[in-house]
Amino acid sequence: MEKQEQDGLLDGEFKYKKNIDGTINKRVVICTHCSKEFQFHRSNSTLKYHLNAKHAFVGAAASPGLRQTTLSERRPLGKSSLDKLTDNIAKWIAKDCRPLSIVEDKGFADVLKVASQDASYKPPARSTITIRIHELYETEKKKKEEALVHTECVALTGDHWTSLSNDNYLGVTAHLITEAWGLTSFALTIMKTEERHFAEACAEQFQTVARRWRIEEKVTTVGTDSARNMIAAARIMPFNHMPCTAHILQRCITVSLADSGFVTALAKCRKIVGHFKHSPANTAELNAEQVSLGRKQEPLAQDVPTRWNSTLEMVKRLIRNQTAVTATLDKQKHKLVLLDITPPEWDKLQRLETLLEPCRYVTELLGGEAYVSCSVVLPAFCHLRRVMEVTDEDPAYVVRFKEKFKEDLASRQEHTNYAWLQIATALDPRFKDLRSVPKTDREAVWTTLAGMLHEDSPRRSHTAEEGPAKKRLSLLQMDSDSESEEEVQQDRAIQRYRAEPCTALEDCPLQWWAAHAGAHSQLARLARRYLATPASTVPCERLFSVAGHIVNKKRSALHSENVDKLVCLSNWLKDE
């Protein structure tokens, strides 16, 4: 019978169509998977082709003779595909700080077999990945060197870090403004150091990094913290020093808190937070109390002296969970109830939150590296001084905090690179009115800026064609008290810039300079120099966070050269 009705219409994958009157039309068949109709003339080749093309998972079983290559039986990967996959594995390991030993994990091999659809695929060896990472480092390094070649000014930030294996490293980042007026920052190195951190050694380390990258003549500023050895090293180096303003602000907060009436209340906060943080059972009871009060489960935060804004975070979480914390301690009948925060102390904590919140905002603002921050320092400090003005409603302990904060901030501001900050503020179209600078100093800033234009202007060279007469006239003009034509043009350039309206605070100053660089070409060059400098050393701190993920307990013996390359690669590839 026609070969058993064409093998049961390929084992039930098709069925005959029924007519309206209920009879069967054996000239038309319907696919049971997609309900598509086919003309049937005693040959099932069309039906097999349809199964293989549209329903491969059944076509393989139904038609072994005409079987197409399916997902389960793909050909092995070619050499180019294998190389591309190996390169991407190396890039992933470097970018996301994964250990090299991950290629030896059986589960990782199983995942790659499924992803590559090749059951015979084997991950590359550790040595192969190591070679690819070194090659990737050299490739990316050439890109960074190319960026440094095409810029005139580079600002550096640097700091020291101690790894889990007790090795000392110097981290250095570079910051520059590109030809298209884009702010770029990237790591230069995280170099292992053997010497003690004396000033001479620190200065030599920074200069060594500059020599290796061939930017000795391009470095404008070196940003560091305010440690004494760093300040002494800055005096030795031929670069301008930019102390970290975020460190300065946090030191002001620490000094002001120690000389105010918040000490007792903060000590109680630390005791209560420690009570819950050190006991999972106590934490569970607090979470249950938060749920019963209809609040979100939120752990308390302990302040750490070296962690910025941690005191504010501790106070804010305690205030938000005041009811839950008090109720939990009452149920426990714990001796900490005797140290319970009194209503006047809760009032103190609320006032402290109000005082520290502007400091947190300014700290985060100064710590950015994706936008211009150097020109924001003086306006930010001016804002803090206004916030810390004493009012008639302030109690005595708040008055002490505010006065101590302003006094300490003023004394530390004197040790910053104040002249550099003033010029950077003047070159920012948002703040060029210099309201953050004392009125008596504003004209001096513009005079200094005009002097810089005169120094940067190209010196005219007298050629032989000019003749002796012109040379003598030029010499007489140089010795004259009257302003030269060049000085008049520089003064006009300053006046034209000052006449420009200030931009909005949310506008990007670099976009403004990109649009007005042609009209203010002389000042544009100075803007590239001054606005590239970061206000803090936070970029270096972020570099150390990456290094901490790489040099962990399982990788504490990692060679310093590999640490350098892995940290730099993770930083360079973060935006890809």
Side-chain angles (χ1 to χ4, degrees):
M1 288 184 62
E2 290 296 332
K3 199 181 176 182
Q4 294 297 320
E5 286 294 326
Q6 297 297 332
D7 296 328
L9 289 180
L10 300 182
D11 297 330
E13 305 299 338
F14 295 87
K15 63 182 179 180
Y16 290 114
K17 182 179 180 180
K18 285 187 178 182
N19 296 321
I20 299 176
D21 57 2
T23 60
I24 296 177
N25 184 356
K26 291 192 174 183
R27 291 185 175 274
V28 179
V29 295
I30 302 173
C31 176
T32 58
H33 299 286
C34 62
S35 301
K36 187 174 181 179
E37 296 184 359
F38 296 90
Q39 295 295 324
F40 182 64
H41 302 286
R42 300 182 182 180
S43 173
N44 59 10
S45 59
T46 302
L47 307 185
K48 291 179 179 179
Y49 181 83
H50 174 73
L51 285 179
N52 288 321
K54 301 297 183 181
H55 313 293
F57 60 96
V58 295
S63 56
L66 297 177
R67 187 164 160 180
Q68 291 182 342
T69 303
T70 62
L71 293 177
S72 60
E73 290 191 12
R74 284 190 57 176
R75 294 178 180 177
L77 295 176
K79 186 178 185 305
S80 60
S81 298
L82 287 172
D83 288 341
K84 186 176 181 180
L85 184 55
T86 301
D87 289 340
N88 278 277
I89 293 173
K91 189 174 182 179
W92 167 62
I93 288 175
K95 185 176 182 178
D96 293 337
C97 306
R98 301 301 176 192
L100 294 177
S101 59
I102 197 170
V103 297
E104 299 173 348
D105 293 348
K106 188 177 183 304
F108 180 68
D110 293 340
V111 169
L112 289 181
K113 287 178 182 178
V114 175
S116 63
Q117 300 173 3
D118 181 2
S120 63
Y121 176 77
K122 292 182 180 180
R126 241 172 120 166
S127 57
T128 303
I129 293 296
T130 301
I131 293 172
R132 296 298 175 92
I133 287 178
H134 284 282
E135 293 174 351
L136 180 61
Y137 173 81
E138 294 300 329
T139 302
E140 294 297 324
K141 184 179 178 181
K142 287 180 181 178
K143 295 179 183 179
K144 303 307 176 185
E145 289 175 338
E146 189 71 17
L148 293 173
V149 166
H150 290 91
T151 189
E152 295 181 1
C153 303
V154 181
L156 304 181
T157 67
D159 202 357
H160 287 94
W161 172 71
T162 303
S163 70
L164 191 68
S165 55
N166 207 29
D167 292 323
N168 292 319
Y169 289 87
L170 171 68
V172 181
T173 61
H175 307 262
L176 55 99
I177 295 176
T178 64
E179 295 179 353
W181 289 95
L183 186 62
T184 302
S185 63
F186 51 85
L188 291 183
T189 186
I190 180 163
M191 178 178 66
K192 185 177 180 180
T193 59
E194 303 289 349
E195 307 88 351
R196 293 183 179 271
H197 296 165
F198 294 127
E200 294 79 7
C202 293
E204 179 58 31
Q205 290 161 7
F206 277 105
Q207 291 175 289
T208 299
V209 174
R211 282 193 297 270
R212 287 180 181 177
W213 287 84
R214 297 186 292 277
I215 55 174
E216 304 101 310
E217 303 300 325
K218 297 183 177 183
V219 176
T220 55
T221 60
V222 174
T224 68
D225 57 24
S226 298
R228 293 187 178 183
N229 62 331
M230 286 298 189
I231 294 175
R235 297 193 191 103
I236 302 172
M237 290 186 287
F239 317 126
N240 284 285
H241 183 224
M242 181 58 64
C244 176
T245 53
H247 276 92
I248 289 174
L249 180 54
Q250 293 302 312
R251 285 300 302 160
C252 289
I253 295 173
T254 302
V255 171
S256 303
L257 284 175
D259 192 26
S260 65
F262 298 103
V263 176
T264 303
L266 289 175
K268 289 185 178 182
C269 290
R270 296 184 185 104
K271 282 275 188 182
I272 292 173
V273 173
H275 170 71
F276 289 102
K277 295 286 284 185
H278 298 156
S279 171
N282 293 338
T283 302
E285 292 178 9
L286 175 61
N287 291 339
E289 192 65 36
Q290 288 170 335
V291 172
S292 66
L293 293 172
R295 299 190 61 85
K296 178 184 176 182
Q297 290 187 0
E298 180 183 33
L300 302 180
Q302 185 67 276
D303 69 335
V304 180
T306 57
R307 185 173 298 164
W308 297 346
N309 301 319
S310 60
T311 300
L312 173 62
E313 189 62 26
M314 177 183 71
V315 171
K316 287 173 68 174
R317 293 200 187 189
L318 272 174
I319 291 175
R320 284 199 299 265
N321 296 280
Q322 176 182 353
T323 306
V325 169
T326 305
T328 304
L329 290 176
D330 288 342
K331 290 179 181 179
Q332 291 179 344
K333 297 181 180 180
H334 198 275
K335 64 180 180 180
L336 277 176
V337 175
L338 300 176
L339 294 175
D340 195 11
I341 301 174
T342 62
E345 289 173 331
W346 281 115
D347 180 65
K348 281 186 177 183
L349 294 177
Q350 289 173 346
R351 291 180 182 273
L352 181 61
E353 179 185 359
T354 304
L355 290 171
L356 295 184
E357 189 61 38
C359 299
R360 178 201 61 80
Y361 168 75
V362 171
T363 302
E364 294 178 354
L365 181 66
L366 299 179
E369 58 180 312
Y371 51 85
V372 175
S373 59
C374 186
S375 59
V376 184
V377 175
L378 295 185
F381 283 1
C382 185
H383 167 71
L384 288 178
R385 284 193 294 270
R386 286 197 300 268
V387 169
M388 295 298 171
E389 289 293 335
V390 178
T391 62
D392 296 336
E393 294 79 14
D394 290 337
Y397 57 88
V398 173
V399 172
R400 289 202 306 273
F401 179 90
K402 288 183 174 181
E403 290 180 346
K404 186 62 180 178
F405 182 90
K406 290 191 295 182
E407 176 188 348
D408 195 69
L409 181 62
S411 64
R412 293 180 187 276
Q413 187 172 325
E414 293 177 357
H415 296 92
T416 61
N417 196 334
Y418 192 59
W420 189 281
L421 296 176
Q422 285 181 325
I423 298 298
T425 306
L427 291 171
D428 190 325
R430 299 172 296 176
F431 309 115
K432 66 186 182 66
D433 53 10
L434 297 181
R435 292 184 180 180
S436 56
V437 178
K439 292 182 179 180
T440 55
D441 298 340
R442 293 175 187 175
E443 285 303 320
V445 174
W446 296 113
T447 303
T448 304
L449 196 54
M452 291 179 178
L453 288 181
H454 181 67
E455 292 176 1
D456 285 352
S457 62
R459 298 180 180 273
R460 296 182 178 180
S461 58
H462 302 288
T463 60
E465 289 78 6
E466 287 181 330
K470 280 195 174 183
K471 287 184 180 180
R472 286 195 295 270
L473 288 174
S474 299
L475 290 172
L476 289 174
Q477 188 177 12
M478 289 174 62
D479 293 335
S480 173
D481 291 336
S482 60
E483 291 185 350
S484 65
E485 182 181 348
E486 185 178 340
E487 290 174 341
V488 172
Q489 290 178 353
Q490 290 161 2
D491 290 339
R492 287 175 182 172
I494 295 290
Q495 294 304 323
R496 283 199 309 271
Y497 174 68
R498 294 181 68 176
E500 296 276 3
C502 291
T503 60
L505 291 178
E506 60 271 14
D507 291 342
C508 176
L510 297 184
Q511 291 181 359
W512 188 93
W513 277 109
H516 296 80
H520 307 283
S521 56
Q522 292 175 299
L523 287 170
R525 186 176 179 183
L526 290 177
R528 288 184 191 274
R529 177 184 180 89
Y530 280 83
L531 297 183
T533 299
S536 68
T537 59
V538 172
C540 256
E541 304 294 340
R542 294 193 179 103
L543 206 61
F544 298 151
S545 297
V546 175
H549 289 303
I550 294 175
V551 188
N552 53 35
K553 290 183 178 179
K554 291 185 177 181
R555 307 173 74 188
S556 58
L558 200 61
H559 194 275
S560 58
E561 181 184 354
N562 293 331
V563 173
D564 182 22
K565 292 184 177 181
L566 289 172
V567 173
C568 288
L569 276 175
S570 180
N571 177 267
W572 296 343
L573 300 173
K574 64 183 179 182
D575 296 327
E576 294 187 8

